[in-house]
Amino acid sequence: MDIKILKEKFVEKYGAGDAIGYFSPGRVNLIGEHTDYNGGYVFPCALSFGAYCVIRKVNRPSFRFASLNFELEKELSLTELTTPLDGKAWVNYPLGVIAQFVKRCLTPDTGADILIYGDVPAGAGLSSSAALEVVTAVAINDVYGYNLPRLDLVKMSQKAEHEFAGVMCGIMDQFASGFGAKDKAIFLNCDTLNYELVPVVLKGAKIIVSNTHSPHKLDSGKYNERVAQCKAAVEAIKPYKPIKQLADLSVADFKTVEAKIADPVVRARARHVVTEIGRTTDAVTALKAGDLEKFGQLMNASHVSLRDDYEVTGPQLDAMAEAAWTVPGVIGSRMTGGGFGGCTVSIVKDEAIDNFKAIVGKEYEAKTGLKAEFYVAEIGDGGKRLF
Ligand code: GLA
């Protein structure tokens, strides 16, 4: 988004005067899916598209929210900042974050005018909501001079998602939006929150994000159901092995206790999580060693596990990944994010990209009746002030 246009739109909406602008990115996860809320590893990178927030403190005891993407506008008094709005109003995302400041006894002493714009394709599973939460957290923290550390802002953004959107998500998306770095992927241990920025060196290949245009529906309850199934697996294993979370099991450990999980569906869910954590560490090792082929194989295996054991892919994501696997020059391809629609992520050799778009686009449409859309991912920085 052109910053000049954003400033003009702000003035059009709220009148002339100074305003401050911030940006926070969406993310694409390279590997490590549905591992974060199990204390495992993830390997996402921040994208160059995300959410923008232009803000001006005002001498008035209320917040005004407007967006260039949605029609709904809202004015809320300083005493109304901790109650979610009815329904799925977009305002609940920034509001949910401001509520976290209030809960920490950091109630804004005066209101503000806020204009939001997002360029993450909606419903694509590229974390448009995390981008919006983190950009709000960074903006409020800065404008009101609260000086909270970045990690607190990330955790508060995750809490906003739990409390104001009802999705019991892990920390990956908000962390990637807060801590992303240009041309690096974040190898994050979601238990300790220790992380390493790993250069994404693809030697003549690019990351292609393929949008199924079948919107992912995290709030459909299926996500929270997976979270509950993982907890059930831990409870089933605990009498035999003292674990706190599924990440406490290696693949070998899991083999010795899997039979203790009576429910075959819960057992399969746990198998995905434990093997996916193994794949993620192996993939990072492969990337660091320059072994892209191995990295790609692990991506493909991740998709199969998400399809068969975790059952979060669905016909559209399967059609997209399966079509990609047939194209020469595709190093690896898998669904990314929560699943149930959204996007795949593929690593494709430069010379094969045009062919990839043509073949995958055609196959995908033939199988699903939907048009795919492709983006070459640029890995950008985490949340920051723009002006
Ligand atoms: C969503 C959640 C994340 C993570 C992914 C799956 O994006 O917000 O916390 O669980 O799904 O890996």
Side-chain angles (χ1 to χ4, degrees):
M1 174 56 139
D2 186 337
I3 288 174
K4 205 170 139 254
I5 297 177
L6 210 54
K7 283 182 180 169
E8 280 168 16
K9 295 277 178 198
F10 185 88
V11 168
E12 244 171 60
K13 175 108 351 233
Y14 295 120
D18 290 342
I20 308 179
Y22 299 85
F23 169 79
S24 260
R27 63 93 191 95
V28 62
N29 190 20
L30 299 179
I31 193 162
E33 220 65 86
H34 288 277
T35 51
D36 58 352
Y37 51 86
N38 291 295
Y41 286 101
V42 293
F43 197 45
C45 34
L47 293 168
S48 55
F49 42 52
Y52 297 78
C53 171
V54 186
I55 180 167
R56 174 196 291 156
K57 260 172 109 171
V58 292
N59 205 357
R60 185 191 66 219
S62 69
F63 273 78
R64 287 198 288 185
F65 298 92
S67 158
L68 298 179
N69 303 87
F70 303 101
E71 270 181 26
L72 176 75
E73 297 186 1
K74 205 79 200 165
E75 177 161 3
L76 296 170
S77 76
L78 293 180
T79 57
E80 291 176 307
L81 298 176
T82 51
T83 316
L85 305 181
D86 284 345
K88 296 192 185 353
W90 73 268
V91 176
N92 276 331
Y93 293 94
L95 185 60
V97 170
I98 297 173
Q100 304 306 317
F101 285 95
V102 176
K103 278 190 174 179
R104 291 180 170 229
C105 299
L106 297 173
T107 305
D109 50 355
T110 177
D113 289 335
I114 293 178
L115 179 68
I116 297 288
Y117 171 69
D119 57 7
V120 183
L126 300 175
S127 293
S128 53
S129 58
L132 177 48
E133 288 151 2
V134 173
V135 81
T136 308
V138 171
I140 296 289
N141 192 46
D142 201 35
V143 168
Y144 287 88
Y146 294 143
N147 286 318
L148 295 179
R150 182 58 62 106
L151 186 58
D152 285 30
L153 303 181
V154 163
K155 289 180 177 169
M156 289 157 73
S157 297
Q158 182 195 19
K159 266 252 163 328
E161 182 90 28
H162 290 182
E163 294 173 4
F164 279 60
V167 180
M168 300 312 288
C169 63
I171 197 145
M172 169 169 72
D173 304 347
Q174 292 79 8
F175 199 96
S177 189
F179 286 96
K182 188 159 174 48
D183 297 329
K184 306 243 169 54
I186 308 166
F187 182 37
L188 170 67
N189 177 327
C190 297
D191 185 30
T192 60
L193 299 184
N194 290 333
Y195 71 102
E196 184 188 343
L197 295 173
V198 180
V200 179
V201 182
L202 296 179
K203 294 183 291 193
K206 296 217 166 33
I207 298 172
I208 309 285
V209 176
S210 308
N211 192 342
T212 62
H213 281 292
S214 164
H216 86 132
K217 299 182 195 75
L218 270 195
D219 53 353
S220 67
K222 288 190 186 154
Y223 183 91
N224 292 348
E225 181 188 89
R226 295 300 182 283
V227 176
Q229 287 166 330
C230 291
K231 284 204 180 117
V234 171
E235 289 310 311
I237 293 167
K238 258 187 186 163
Y240 308 95
K241 201 169 175 63
I243 58 164
K244 172 173 113 228
Q245 53 193 356
L246 286 174
D248 298 341
L249 296 171
S250 67
V251 176
D253 290 338
F254 180 69
K255 292 210 169 104
T256 67
V257 291
E258 65 177 318
K260 307 294 183 200
I261 309 173
D263 182 338
V265 173
V266 171
R267 196 184 316 137
R269 303 294 189 247
R271 187 186 313 122
H272 163 72
V273 172
V274 173
T275 57
E276 181 77 354
I277 294 169
R279 280 186 290 273
T280 307
T281 49
D282 290 351
V284 174
T285 307
L287 184 66
K288 285 180 179 171
D291 188 349
L292 272 191
E293 200 181 317
K294 171 93 185 162
F295 191 88
Q297 287 161 359
L298 290 160
M299 288 175 80
N300 297 349
S302 165
H303 185 91
V304 169
S305 177
L306 287 155
R307 181 188 70 196
D308 298 345
D309 280 342
Y310 221 62
E311 296 185 274
V312 292
T313 56
Q316 291 83 12
L317 285 168
D318 287 340
M320 193 77 92
E322 280 158 21
W325 294 337
T326 67
V327 179
V330 172
I331 293 166
S333 185
R334 57 180 288 277
M335 62 151 268
T336 186
F340 311 110
C343 289
T344 62
V345 56
S346 309
I347 299 181
V348 184
K349 290 197 176 143
D350 289 341
E351 64 274 16
I353 293 176
D354 288 343
N355 210 22
F356 173 89
K357 289 183 186 168
I359 296 178
V360 176
K362 193 163 157 244
E363 284 271 305
Y364 177 72
E365 191 174 350
K367 274 199 189 157
T368 64
L370 296 168
K371 279 218 184 304
E373 198 179 347
F374 303 97
Y375 324 98
V376 175
E378 282 172 45
I379 307 180
D381 285 324
K384 59 184 176 200
R385 180 170 170 174
L386 292 178
F387 56 84

